[in-house]
Amino acid sequence: MLSANHKDSKGKILLKADGLERKFGGLTAVANFSFELCDGEILGLIGPNGAGKSTTFNLISGFIPPTSGKLSFLGQDISGKNATYISRMGLVRTFQHDSLLSDMSVADNIIIATTHRLKSTAARQEKMRETAKQTGLEDYLDVTAGSLPHGLQRMLSIAIALAAEPKVLCLDEPLTGLQGVEVGAALDLFEMIRSELGITILLVEHNMRAVMRICDRILVLNHGRLLAAGTPEEVSQNELVIEAYLGHKK
Ligand code: ADP
Ligand code: MG
């Protein structure tokens, strides 16, 4: 049987999905999907458009409930828990399309994300500055989010997620629309988030070169089902993957 578990990992399991399933009317968007996300890894989740990647993010982050299956985070059953509950536990996600408060400043967008963990204004300010610096936004604190260039809006989405001090960060196509140099900077940021901040990353991304470079392991979804799992090398040589995905998506 195809295994999406991390056999060689020394890290403990942070997130576990067991037979995860989600139907929308007659359409099964995610079917019998089981996987483990281990402490300290960067796990890629790839697949053609409509494969069920964003639905998987919506399920694990509590934005929609599963039709069936079980989800546990930090050893606790979170199946059916809502998004606020799950993000407060430390699983925070970004969206495929940025969801910023576009009329508010960069600083205020970030500060809002600090408020449930940090109670004093000084601590919130300090966290906001630290997060803005990490994401290259320190010179844009007073700029309204909606007037930032696209690449910086993407960074702001990540800053907002980081400001909540997550244990697991789920990034949904964070590189879409970024220019070459911005892609490199974003990948460096993801490496830093994992190695220096100790945050585990689940990455959905269409940029194959980036996925292959940065991920320790990759899960491949097709029509809502797990098609393959393994290291970037294993997955990129898998015939089923080449046929289903890499063959028509460069
Ligand atoms: P991906 O992110 O891999 O491109 P999605 O998870 O967004 O794919 O979508 C998987 C399938 O589920 C698609 O066929 C999509 O149209 C469908 N789907 C996703 N969300 C909904 C929804 N809220 N209502 C109905 N169908 C949906
Ligand atoms: Mg998607």
Side-chain angles (χ1 to χ4, degrees):
M1 195 194 137
L2 183 59
S3 169
N5 298 344
H6 196 357
K7 296 185 208 73
D8 308 325
S9 171
K10 291 184 209 81
K12 66 173 191 222
I13 296 163
L14 296 185
L15 178 71
K16 189 169 164 55
D18 203 359
L20 196 60
E21 185 152 304
R22 173 68 202 203
K23 293 186 170 148
F24 294 110
L27 175 90
T28 304
V30 173
N32 193 25
F33 187 21
S34 301
F35 68 91
E36 292 171 350
L37 175 67
C38 295
D39 198 5
E41 71 174 330
I42 300 182
L43 178 63
L45 177 60
I46 66 170
N49 275 329
K53 306 178 300 292
S54 292
T55 301
T56 300
F57 268 25
N58 287 334
L59 291 168
I60 63 183
S61 58
F63 281 80
I64 57 172
T67 308
S68 60
K70 199 176 147 190
L71 277 167
S72 58
F73 180 50
L74 308 177
Q76 188 181 321
D77 187 351
I78 56 160
S79 326
K81 298 282 190 202
N82 68 33
T84 307
Y85 184 93
I86 292 171
S87 69
R88 288 188 177 182
M89 277 185 77
L91 189 149
V92 174
R93 56 87 61 93
T94 64
F95 291 85
Q96 194 168 342
H97 303 287
D98 293 319
S99 59
L100 307 168
L101 299 165
S102 51
D103 293 335
M104 289 176 60
S105 70
V106 166
D108 286 344
N109 267 273
I110 302 175
I111 280 177
I112 287 168
T114 69
T115 52
H116 107 266
R117 275 197 201 281
L118 303 173
K119 297 305 166 204
S120 84
T121 305
R124 289 173 180 175
Q125 285 281 342
E126 190 185 331
K127 184 75 201 171
M128 180 275 289
R129 286 183 190 284
E130 178 190 304
T131 309
K133 191 154 184 242
Q134 287 161 345
T135 49
L137 288 166
E138 69 268 43
D139 295 333
Y140 301 88
L141 295 181
D142 298 328
V143 176
T144 52
S147 58
L148 283 176
H150 175 77
L152 291 178
Q153 290 197 8
R154 304 246 74 176
M155 289 298 114
L156 180 54
S157 293
I158 295 169
I160 289 166
L162 283 181
E165 301 184 331
K167 293 183 183 68
V168 170
L169 177 60
C170 300
L171 300 168
D172 197 352
E173 303 201 16
L175 305 177
T176 303
L178 297 191
Q179 312 296 327
V181 63
E182 293 173 326
V183 169
L187 293 180
D188 290 346
L189 172 64
F190 303 160
E191 299 267 21
M192 187 286 285
I193 289 170
R194 180 255 291 274
S195 60
E196 288 175 39
L197 306 182
I199 296 171
T200 300
I201 296 178
L202 179 58
L203 174 69
V204 166
E205 183 46 57
H206 270 305
N207 181 330
M208 278 306 117
R209 194 189 276 182
V211 169
M212 296 295 162
R213 182 189 128 183
I214 199 170
C215 293
D216 303 305
R217 282 193 308 140
I218 297 173
L219 311 178
V220 187
L221 273 182
N222 194 29
H223 301 302
R225 293 182 179 275
L226 186 67
L227 184 71
T231 63
E233 195 171 49
E234 287 164 351
V235 158
S236 61
Q237 289 168 2
N238 183 304
E239 293 294 335
L240 292 171
V241 176
I242 294 167
E243 191 181 323
Y245 188 64
L246 298 171
H248 60 81
K249 182 88 197 172
K250 294 279 181 303

